[in-house]
Amino acid sequence: GVWGPAIGVSASNVFLFLLFAGRIYDPFTSCFMLMAEVFSALVSVKRMKQIDATPEQTGTNVCNNKGYDIEFKNVVFSYNEEPVLKGVSFVAKQGEVTALVGPSGSGKSTASKLAARFWDADSGTITLGGVDVKTVEPETLFKNYAIVFQDVTLFHDTILENIRLGKKGATDEEVLRAAKLANCDEFTEKLPNGYQTMIGENGSALSGGERQRISIARALLKEAPILILDDAVSAVDVKTEQKILEN
């Protein structure tokens, strides 16, 4: 074969080549790392924009309701354009127990949260004692409600203090009365320190049913005129559930 003319490369050129190659490589590496940070930040930016675009719930600081009947009139509500409630109407009358029964995803929890104005309905009206809940400032409205959710939030503190969160400044006697109504005595009597027992982060030292009973006691301590139980006794045995409901 025929070989081309030999190309001579000086040592200084080799050194310059290596120097420039290193200087070019570093910025590219930093660029790729920063791109990953940017993509991660964009998720937060998108969420912040959604929060900023959410209309503020406003209303009067006085709720002039006459009684505590909760009435839904043709209520429509959707999650991200996915309809959940489609023209729902019913009355939950004062002094009675109203049960919403249906399969998972049928809108039971949604209805309970709309009643307390966690969100506003897309259309239709929800009234408390004749007052449209949309016209009342949420904090003012919520003084009328005590809600127990299926998912319980507890703190690494004593059982007594976890229940006392339901009513600021409640006496020990008030707390223990609410605990008894929620049938907490049954399991606290077996604990070495009773109601002074530390329960671990989110009640890790307790069973699901025991955690739910503490949450129910907390709601009962508030003594609000309206009590909403959202699958609040799903982890409680039937016998205990019956006692709690009777109380």
Side-chain angles (χ1 to χ4, degrees):
V2 180
W3 294 88
I7 300 175
V9 181
S10 66
S12 60
N13 285 341
V14 172
F15 176 76
L16 289 172
F17 174 79
L18 294 174
L19 180 66
F20 282 116
R23 296 299 293 270
I24 292 171
Y25 176 77
D26 286 342
F28 272 104
T29 304
S30 299
C31 182
F32 287 124
M33 291 176 65
L34 290 171
M35 283 178 65
E37 295 286 345
V38 168
F39 288 134
S40 177
L42 284 175
V43 176
S44 300
V45 169
K46 183 180 179 181
R47 179 63 181 142
M48 289 299 294
K49 286 183 175 179
Q50 288 175 340
I51 293 172
D52 189 54
T54 303
E56 183 181 358
Q57 292 180 311
T58 58
T60 62
N61 293 323
V62 178
C63 185
N64 294 316
N65 54 295
K66 296 179 181 178
Y68 296 96
D69 285 359
I70 298 173
E71 184 172 3
F72 279 55
K73 297 178 183 177
N74 298 316
V75 173
V76 176
F77 183 78
S78 303
Y79 287 113
N80 299 321
E81 299 181 1
E82 181 69 28
V84 178
L85 300 182
K86 308 169 186 176
V88 172
S89 298
F90 68 90
V91 180
K93 293 184 178 180
Q94 179 179 348
E96 297 182 3
V97 175
T98 299
L100 302 182
V101 183
S104 296
S106 60
K108 303 185 299 295
S109 295
T110 300
S112 65
K113 290 172 182 174
L114 285 171
R117 206 190 175 191
F118 277 44
W119 308 298
D120 287 330
D122 299 336
S123 63
T125 57
I126 301 169
T127 58
L128 170 64
V131 175
D132 189 337
V133 297
K134 282 187 179 181
T135 64
V136 183
E137 191 269 330
E139 283 293 325
T140 302
L141 181 72
F142 197 67
K143 291 176 182 177
N144 296 298
Y145 296 83
I147 302 180
V148 185
F149 296 108
Q150 183 176 2
D151 297 324
V152 181
T153 300
L154 301 176
F155 300 93
H156 181 47
D157 206 334
T158 64
I159 295 173
L160 197 73
E161 293 307 316
N162 267 283
I163 296 174
R164 204 191 307 272
L165 287 171
K167 181 180 178 182
K168 186 177 179 180
T171 64
D172 287 355
E173 289 74 19
E174 290 176 311
V175 174
L176 292 172
R177 178 178 175 275
K180 186 174 183 179
L181 289 172
N183 207 37
C184 293
D185 287 350
E186 185 183 40
F187 70 88
T188 54
E189 289 173 353
K190 302 173 185 176
L191 299 173
N193 297 316
Y195 283 98
Q196 297 298 335
T197 302
M198 299 291 288
I199 61 173
E201 191 65 38
N202 204 25
S204 58
L206 303 175
S207 70
E210 290 166 352
R211 293 171 67 248
Q212 283 192 330
R213 276 181 269 180
I214 290 174
S215 184
I216 292 168
R218 184 189 289 171
L220 294 176
L221 179 63
K222 185 178 179 181
E223 295 185 320
I226 300 166
L227 177 62
I228 296 177
L229 303 176
D230 185 8
D231 269 347
V233 287
S234 59
V236 176
D237 63 89
V238 176
K239 185 178 178 181
T240 304
E241 177 183 349
Q242 188 62 36
K243 285 182 181 179
I244 293 171
L245 293 177
E246 284 175 1
N247 290 339

